[in-house]
Amino acid sequence: MPSDGVHEPPFTPAGKAAYDRHKALYGYRNVPPSLSNDPRNHCDPLGFPRADLYQLRHTQIFQNPKKVAILYQYDKRYRVIWTDGRDFPKELPDDRWYGYSVGKWVDNTTFVVNTVGLLGEPRVWLDETGRPMSDQMKVEERFHRVNANLMEITVTIEDPKFFTRPWVAMDKFPMKLQSDDYDVIEMLCAPSDMESYSKDFGDPASGIVKK
Amino acid sequence: MKTFLWVLLAGVVVSTPVFAHHGNAAFDAGKRLELTGTVTEWDWSNPHCWLKFDVKDQSGSVVNWVVETSNAADMVERGWSKRTFKAGDQVTVTLEPVKSGQPVGRVISVLLPNGKTLGLNYVGQ
């Protein structure tokens, strides 16, 4: 969903208040680098579903009969999705950056994953424009293989604390199959690099001059 | 056991500048400066790589400019590397400056000592 002041998700008052607290680096309300309070400016994990909605780059998928693992290039993070037929446990583990995920194949070409137990506000944002999410968020991902070389991902979210109704955060996002010997370049957020970057670039670019 | 690797379709076909870490709020959009100077440092890292270079102004005093590119992973796919610059290299940088007036900006292209120009177009891994 574009951040242009027109396409806004269906915020509850609490959701809108959280959104207004966020000073994002992207979108129509974006601020210069050092004036942002995006958690990722400290190299915090993106969390989920932001890992799908922001910087979805080279993505490796491994599977065995019990689990599917998704390896994200951005910040070298991964998720594990249970595929052994289980439901969510009655008592979920403590909230996690990447939640608790259960997946199943609904037909020969569509894998559906549901995720709960997420961290949410204030540590995890929904996206780079500062849209928020709460710990009540439920996420459905549909990985649909259109043909041998093309997969589409659709992400639908439900969060009664911050949104009045479910909405589609990403619709049929296309991903192309690469050869299995493709070497994914490492991409890590190192706090010391971030500190140097902020001092040498972010602060002067934001009009902050430290003597 | 099968391993799949999926990649953003958009990441492959998009050849316009990618600035992964932040938006445009700090920049004087569309303004261009072309500055020739001497490289003092090339930091190859995330969330951006950045190049520092000394430029002499008209009065003869030296200003150290800091210009960023996208992150290392993006820049590899645009033909850049950790070894693109070394201290002492003479370069001509075309950049978009920030609005704050500080000597910082982001790289549009760089003319290297060997006469080659590096830009931001996708060239593959």
Side-chain angles (χ1 to χ4, degrees):
Chain A
M1 184 180 285
S3 170
D4 52 10
V6 179
H7 296 83
E8 294 293 0
F11 289 120
T12 62
K16 179 66 165 58
Y19 181 45
D20 288 341
R21 287 194 296 274
H22 294 173
K23 297 185 191 325
L25 290 163
Y26 275 102
Y28 77 103
R29 312 193 303 176
N30 74 99
V31 301
S34 294
L35 305 183
S36 163
N37 57 8
D38 189 331
R40 119 192 123 90
N41 298 348
H42 307 285
C43 294
D44 280 359
L46 290 182
F48 188 76
R50 190 172 175 183
D52 275 355
L53 304 180
Y54 169 74
Q55 298 269 347
L56 185 58
R57 291 166 170 262
H58 300 96
T59 301
Q60 297 175 85
I61 301 175
F62 294 81
Q63 62 186 59
N64 72 16
K66 286 194 168 185
K67 303 170 182 177
V68 168
I70 301 183
L71 281 59
Y72 296 94
Q73 181 185 19
Y74 184 85
D75 216 20
K76 222 167 175 173
R77 304 280 177 183
Y78 70 91
R79 295 166 57 210
V80 172
I81 297 154
W82 290 105
T83 54
D84 57 357
R86 74 179 62 194
D87 203 347
F88 293 124
K90 280 189 183 137
E91 275 197 41
L92 281 171
D94 287 342
D95 296 343
R96 297 168 165 181
W97 293 92
Y98 290 84
Y100 192 102
S101 298
V102 170
K104 65 177 176 187
W105 279 267
V106 295
D107 59 40
N108 285 340
T109 55
T110 311
F111 182 54
V112 175
V113 179
N114 286 286
T115 301
V116 296
L118 292 157
L119 212 49
E121 181 75 8
R123 303 208 74 185
V124 176
W125 289 10
L126 186 60
D127 68 13
E128 77 278 15
T129 70
R131 288 171 182 143
M133 58 174 279
S134 81
D135 57 3
Q136 298 304 302
M137 176 159 284
K138 296 177 185 171
V139 183
E140 183 200 81
E141 293 163 289
R142 296 183 85 84
F143 300 86
H144 175 58
R145 198 159 183 176
V146 179
N147 57 45
N149 294 312
L150 179 65
M151 181 173 71
E152 292 175 340
I153 305 180
T154 296
V155 178
T156 305
I157 62 174
E158 185 182 338
D159 182 346
K161 206 188 270 188
F162 280 0
F163 300 108
T164 57
R165 55 180 164 78
W167 56 285
V168 176
M170 193 158 86
D171 191 15
K172 295 181 181 152
F173 189 82
M175 302 196 68
K176 186 178 159 190
L177 186 65
Q178 299 295 304
S179 69
D180 55 9
D181 59 359
Y182 190 98
D183 187 32
V184 178
I185 301 164
E186 184 179 272
M187 189 177 181
L188 279 167
C189 191
S192 58
D193 284 343
M194 186 63 97
E195 198 178 318
S196 301
Y197 171 79
S198 296
K199 180 169 84 56
D200 288 345
F201 186 90
D203 287 351
S206 308
I208 299 168
V209 180
K210 290 175 181 162
K211 299 290 178 190
Chain B
M1 195 179 300
K2 293 280 276 182
T3 303
F4 297 107
L5 174 66
W6 298 92
V7 63
L8 272 181
L9 190 61
V12 175
V13 298
V14 168
S15 62
T16 47
V18 174
F19 295 102
H21 165 253
H22 57 73
N24 295 320
F27 295 97
D28 196 342
K31 187 173 178 182
R32 296 288 182 268
L33 295 178
E34 189 180 293
L35 300 173
T36 298
T38 307
V39 171
T40 58
E41 196 178 322
W42 169 230
D43 279 283
W44 180 252
S45 70
N46 295 303
H48 295 262
C49 311
W50 64 97
L51 177 70
K52 296 183 183 180
F53 63 110
D54 281 340
V55 179
K56 262 189 194 160
D57 67 15
Q58 286 171 337
S59 68
S61 54
V62 173
V63 177
N64 191 238
W65 276 78
V66 184
V67 288
E68 67 169 10
T69 69
S70 190
N71 59 74
D74 280 346
M75 298 319 287
V76 165
E77 294 176 340
R78 285 156 181 77
W80 300 54
S81 83
K82 189 176 182 173
R83 294 168 296 281
T84 295
F85 306 101
K86 61 181 188 305
D89 283 353
Q90 293 292 306
V91 290
T92 298
V93 181
T94 302
L95 63 98
E96 183 173 74
V98 296
K99 289 187 278 200
S100 72
Q102 296 296 308
V104 293
R106 61 183 173 193
V107 173
I108 305 299
S109 65
V110 179
L111 175 62
L112 301 171
N114 64 8
K116 190 179 164 194
T117 298
L118 277 177
L120 304 174
N121 286 340
Y122 180 85
V123 295
Q125 193 178 332

